Amino acid sequence: MAERVTIGDLARRLGLSKASVSYALNGQPGVSEQTRERVLALARELQWYPSSSARTLSGARTGVVGLVLSRDPDLLGTEPYYMLVLSGIEAALIDAEYGLLLRMVGSEPGRDLPVYERWAGEGRVDGVMLFDQRRDDPRIPLLRRLGLPAVLNGAAEPGAALPAVVPDEHGDADQVVELLHGLGHRRIVHLTGPSGLLHEERRDGLVRAAASRAGMVVETLEGDYTMGTAERLTTERLRRGPAPTAWVASNDVMALGAVRAAAREGVDVPGDVSVVSWDDSLLCEIGSPPITALDRHPRDFGHRCARALLAEIAGTGDGDTGPRRSELRVRASTGPAAA
């Protein structure tokens, strides 16, 4: 492998001092514009890039943002929503010539905290994006203490004092409940993710509030975003009977699990029960039957999250952080309530 080109190499080729080359590369005064252009042209020709360690020592930005996900790597690979969010994040970072440092640490609370401390101590990232907030989330005071810029993905708790990119959770709940109410359903099962996550707590409350206004009843079953757990919970509830006629799942994987469990139990979808997913994906489109789902525009959401963090790092702020209406994709998994 070829040796890395250094500032000393550039200086020798150009007949300049290392200090002059450094000034030119870092946009500092002390050299003429003609000299600066000569240095930059040779740097491009020789494919010179600043080392991350040198940038850290000089207090310059790293050109990297961090994302720690408290998810099992195997589970993340089955969740199309996160893959789409990550693609939106990457698109925004590519435009800004930034990189993404991604870590997955498993679902046990607290395992992500040492990662933030290490990143801040080593100067590895310029800022971080926070997913899956919990009540009294310990990451928020930690990041304040570390002085690391951060953006929340989802509405913040009161007093969080961090910028947040907010999905339209109120509108999402209303759309789902209105669809099911219009089809004659009066009892809903809400298959949620872990209740310790703030967005799951809010969703369940919003579904219950919308259903109450419509004279409907909601039964909550807590899952973990996996198909296997959704199948087990659905099977157990169907066997207890009589089951509600509408099921709302917190992600596409659990919605597919509910459909599969119903088929094994001889329960027709949508003849006996209707199924809706909170997340849309290819899984919903190719399901049997195709599953009604909320298209919450995850690529756009990821793009806006990354842009908000870059604006926070630059100290400019970003006004494009408010809710955007989701689109409810009505498919064959929803139909009139059984008589």
Side-chain angles (χ1 to χ4, degrees):
M1 187 172 67
E3 291 186 8
R4 180 184 178 88
V5 176
T6 67
I7 285 180
D9 296 329
L10 298 177
R12 282 192 295 274
R13 289 205 180 204
L14 294 167
L16 298 171
S17 68
K18 290 184 181 179
S20 295
V21 172
S22 179
Y23 293 153
L25 292 170
N26 291 296
Q28 297 175 343
V31 294
S32 68
E33 283 305 310
Q34 182 180 8
T35 297
R36 192 184 312 280
E37 286 303 319
R38 287 177 60 213
V39 172
L40 293 175
L42 183 60
R44 287 192 295 269
E45 178 186 337
L46 298 181
Q47 297 183 317
W48 175 91
Y49 299 100
S51 73
S52 58
S53 58
R55 283 196 303 264
T56 299
L57 290 171
S58 68
R61 292 176 184 158
T62 66
V64 177
V65 298
L67 174 58
V68 184
L69 292 177
S70 297
R71 298 293 179 94
D72 216 326
D74 292 337
L75 176 60
L76 184 69
T78 67
E79 287 195 79
Y81 176 81
Y82 269 105
M83 295 297 100
L84 292 170
V85 169
L86 287 171
S87 74
I89 290 172
E90 285 285 8
L93 295 181
I94 288 170
D95 288 344
E97 297 187 345
Y98 256 76
L100 176 67
L101 183 56
L102 175 65
R103 289 289 181 272
M104 287 172 279
V105 295
S107 58
E108 184 181 341
R111 292 185 62 181
D112 51 350
L113 301 181
V115 178
Y116 297 114
E117 293 182 335
R118 185 168 63 253
W119 282 354
E122 295 175 353
R124 298 286 299 278
V125 298
D126 296 331
V128 295
M129 287 171 277
L130 300 184
F131 280 76
D132 293 337
Q133 295 171 68
R134 298 179 179 272
R135 188 161 297 284
D136 300 319
D137 197 316
R139 296 175 298 178
I140 295 173
L142 173 65
L143 292 172
R144 286 204 201 103
R145 177 172 64 79
L146 296 173
L148 199 58
V151 167
L152 300 170
N153 297 273
E157 279 191 283
L162 286 179
V165 181
V166 183
D168 187 16
E169 291 171 327
H170 287 80
D172 293 345
D174 287 346
Q175 286 196 71
V176 170
V177 171
E178 286 171 9
L179 170 71
L180 295 174
H181 184 268
L183 291 170
H185 297 279
R186 296 297 179 263
R187 297 173 61 209
I188 299 173
V189 169
H190 189 197
L191 278 172
T192 73
S195 60
L197 300 178
L198 272 183
H199 69 270
E200 291 294 346
E201 183 181 311
R202 285 194 301 266
R203 284 183 188 179
D204 195 50
L206 291 167
V207 168
R208 287 178 173 275
S212 178
R213 291 193 299 269
M216 302 165 71
V217 176
V218 177
E219 179 180 330
T220 301
L221 298 177
E222 181 180 343
D224 59 4
Y225 299 126
T226 66
M227 186 179 300
T229 297
E231 289 187 57
R232 176 178 58 79
L233 292 172
T234 302
T235 299
E236 291 172 354
R237 183 61 189 88
L238 289 172
R239 289 179 179 177
R240 284 203 313 269
T245 59
W247 296 63
V248 179
S250 263
N251 72 353
D252 45 358
V253 177
M254 288 202 295
L256 188 57
V259 170
R260 290 178 59 175
R264 280 202 307 270
E265 293 299 305
V267 176
D268 183 65
V269 177
D272 299 315
V273 297
S274 288
V275 177
V276 179
S277 169
W278 206 277
D279 291 333
D280 191 23
S281 73
L282 182 61
L283 289 179
C284 294
E285 293 185 49
I286 65 175
S288 181
I291 299 171
T292 295
L294 280 163
D295 182 355
R296 298 190 292 127
H297 311 298
R299 282 195 186 91
D300 175 70
F301 187 76
H303 195 275
R304 292 196 297 138
C305 289
R307 287 187 55 185
L309 178 57
L310 294 173
E312 185 71 8
I313 292 167
T316 59
D318 188 332
D320 189 22
T321 58
R324 289 190 178 177
R325 183 175 173 82
S326 305
E327 294 182 47
L328 185 60
R329 311 291 186 189
V330 179
R331 301 189 178 102
S333 70
T334 49

